Amino acid sequence: MTSLPRKLPQRLQHLAHVVTAYDMCLKLEDSLQIAVNNGDDIGRNLIYIWILGYLIHHVPTETGLDNITQEINPCHDNSTILALGQMYYDHYIMAFQANKSHTPTPSDDASPPSFDNIQDMINVTLQGAPQSHTQAKAYALIRDRYCCVVTGAYDVFSVETIQELATMYKSDPSARLGFTQCAHIFPASANLSIEPGSAKQQYASTLWAILYRFGYENLLDELNGSNVHHLENVMTLEPRLHTHFDRFDIWLVATNKLNRYMLESHNVYILRGYPEFVTFTTPDPENLPVPSPIYLAIHATCAKVAQLSEAAACINKFYQDMEEAETLDPNGVSADTLEHAIIKLQTAGYEVTT
């Protein structure tokens, strides 16, 4: 079972307010573990305290560290600390987990347009900033040279419709084909089609408030509405990688080289067969920018904390239960599934009364 490290990283050990907040997390973790050992049902309370503890370890900014510790230190009882941890579970980790991959679907056109060369395809496609998922995918494919950014597999539909690309693929015996998808770093559901005063607005506003407290003051404006589809927030991935990225199985960590990232995971077996490093490139930095290092850092932090705290496993189990369940258990066994489902409905913009 997960447990918080007993010591903070050396870089934090001299900060009294951080040490105090972390000690509060450790003490509450110890008491919760005793309750578990005694057979008590504590729900997700250990996950909530692990989230707070691991955020102290991994929050990507000094501003975020200061704010998290300032939120923990005034808590006058355990229930207040746990409520804080639940807030991060519901509105930070669950918000990112709203990003769910889907199997690729062919174009609605019976006969998609074909092109002799790549430039013709680009000229037809690039018509201002992308305003939808479909446009974002098309733009990202151009920037990513019609390949998955991790594996380098050529997008099968692009090879079928662009003669020049097909020639390039055929001339490289090591190249392979694959389906690709447009992967959002921040999920489109976090800030798209939000009606004023709606449940979705209330839910999303908490996510943006959290990120504001992390020191990211401009994110809401950058990703407002259809801006969530801009190229800094998307990349081309094969479906399996897309699913792993959305489930927090993998994340990208910046190196000391510009636009070069290390592919990391909580499970080394997931990384088998994939390159150790990923480098983003673009033929046009101004009009086709690469994914934002800030967005990727926020996703990486969320993924690490979700895995270390076991929140990711809890949320993924919910998705599995939802897929398998036909009805909810009338005796309350399905209460946890129902709670997660309500949160999902709120992120989708539905008003939920209980």
Side-chain angles (χ1 to χ4, degrees), residues 325-344:
E326 296 182 0
T327 59
L328 294 176
D329 192 295
N331 297 317
V333 176
S334 303
D336 193 58
T337 300
L338 178 60
E339 181 180 349
H340 280 84
I342 289 172
I343 295 173
K344 287 294 295 176

Side-chain angles (χ1 to χ4, degrees), residues 69-83:
T69 55
Q70 288 170 12
E71 289 171 339
I72 295 172
N73 285 331
C75 292
H76 57 277
D77 56 33
N78 291 344
S79 62
T80 308
I81 300 176
L82 292 172

Side-chain angles (χ1 to χ4, degrees), residues 66-354:
D66 288 341
N67 282 324
I68 288 170
T69 55
Q70 288 170 12
E71 289 171 339
I72 295 172
N73 285 331
C75 292
H76 57 277
D77 56 33
N78 291 344
S79 62
T80 308
I81 300 176
L82 292 172
L84 179 63
Q86 182 176 2
M87 186 271 291
Y88 279 100
Y89 178 92
D90 290 346
H91 296 279
Y92 178 47
I93 295 176
M94 278 286 287
F96 268 96
Q97 277 279 29
N99 215 12
K100 296 297 292 179
S101 301
H102 300 282
T103 54
T105 55
S107 169
D108 292 334
D109 298 329
S111 300
S114 59
F115 300 90
D116 289 333
N117 56 66
I118 294 173
Q119 190 58 50
D120 288 344
M121 175 69 162
I122 293 174
N123 292 340
V124 170
T125 302
L126 296 184
Q127 304 290 333
Q131 300 295 308
S132 67
H133 183 97
T134 300
Q135 286 185 327
K137 176 177 173 60
Y139 281 45
L141 279 169
I142 293 172
R143 181 198 62 197
D144 300 334
R145 293 173 171 80
Y146 301 96
C147 296
C148 170
V149 295
V150 175
T151 67
Y154 281 88
D155 175 68
V156 62
F157 293 123
S158 299
V159 170
E160 289 176 348
T161 55
I162 306 174
Q163 183 58 46
E164 181 184 356
L165 195 65
T167 301
M168 292 169 57
Y169 167 73
K170 292 174 183 177
S171 66
D172 183 357
S174 65
R176 67 179 185 85
L177 284 175
F179 293 104
T180 68
Q181 296 175 343
C182 178
H184 283 70
I185 303 170
F186 276 86
S189 60
N191 211 35
L192 193 62
S193 302
I194 298 178
E195 295 295 331
S198 67
K200 185 173 183 179
Q201 183 191 46
Q202 296 173 19
Y203 187 91
S205 65
T206 307
L207 167 64
W208 299 115
I210 289 171
L211 295 174
Y212 188 93
R213 292 199 294 271
F214 283 2
Y216 302 112
E217 300 177 0
N218 299 319
L219 282 183
L220 180 57
D221 291 333
E222 292 176 11
L223 295 166
N224 187 40
S226 61
N227 287 344
V228 76
H229 296 304
H230 70 59
L231 282 175
E232 290 96 329
N233 192 45
V234 299
M235 54 187 167
T236 304
L237 293 176
E238 290 194 76
R240 181 182 297 179
L241 276 164
H242 188 183
T243 299
H244 282 317
F245 186 80
D246 286 351
R247 283 169 43 95
F248 297 143
D249 293 330
I250 61 170
W251 53 90
L252 293 164
V253 177
T255 67
N256 57 6
K257 292 185 178 180
L258 183 64
N259 296 326
R260 188 172 189 251
Y261 296 82
M262 177 176 286
L263 191 65
E264 291 190 357
S265 174
H266 66 103
N267 186 336
V268 294
Y269 299 114
I270 290 176
L271 298 177
R272 182 176 293 173
Y274 295 130
E276 183 178 4
F277 296 100
V278 175
T279 300
F280 294 111
T281 61
T282 175
D284 186 347
E286 182 176 351
N287 295 308
L288 299 171
V290 297
S292 164
I294 292 176
Y295 302 169
L296 289 169
I298 294 171
H299 175 274
T301 296
C302 192
K304 289 177 187 176
V305 171
Q307 290 295 347
L308 290 168
S309 67
E310 298 188 6
C314 183
I315 295 169
N316 290 331
K317 183 179 184 301
F318 151 70
Y319 284 122
Q320 182 178 349
D321 290 346
M322 285 293 292
E323 290 176 358
E324 296 176 353
E326 296 182 0
T327 59
L328 294 176
D329 192 295
N331 297 317
V333 176
S334 303
D336 193 58
T337 300
L338 178 60
E339 181 180 349
H340 280 84
I342 289 172
I343 295 173
K344 287 294 295 176
L345 288 171
Q346 289 174 331
T347 65
Y350 292 96
E351 298 287 345
V352 180
T353 58
T354 57

Side-chain angles (χ1 to χ4, degrees), residues 6-26:
R6 304 313 292 181
K7 291 184 178 181
L8 284 166
Q10 189 171 3
R11 63 183 175 83
L12 302 178
Q13 292 177 7
H14 68 287
L15 301 174
H17 65 293
V18 177
V19 173
T20 299
Y22 194 64
D23 283 346
M24 292 172 67
C25 293
L26 290 175

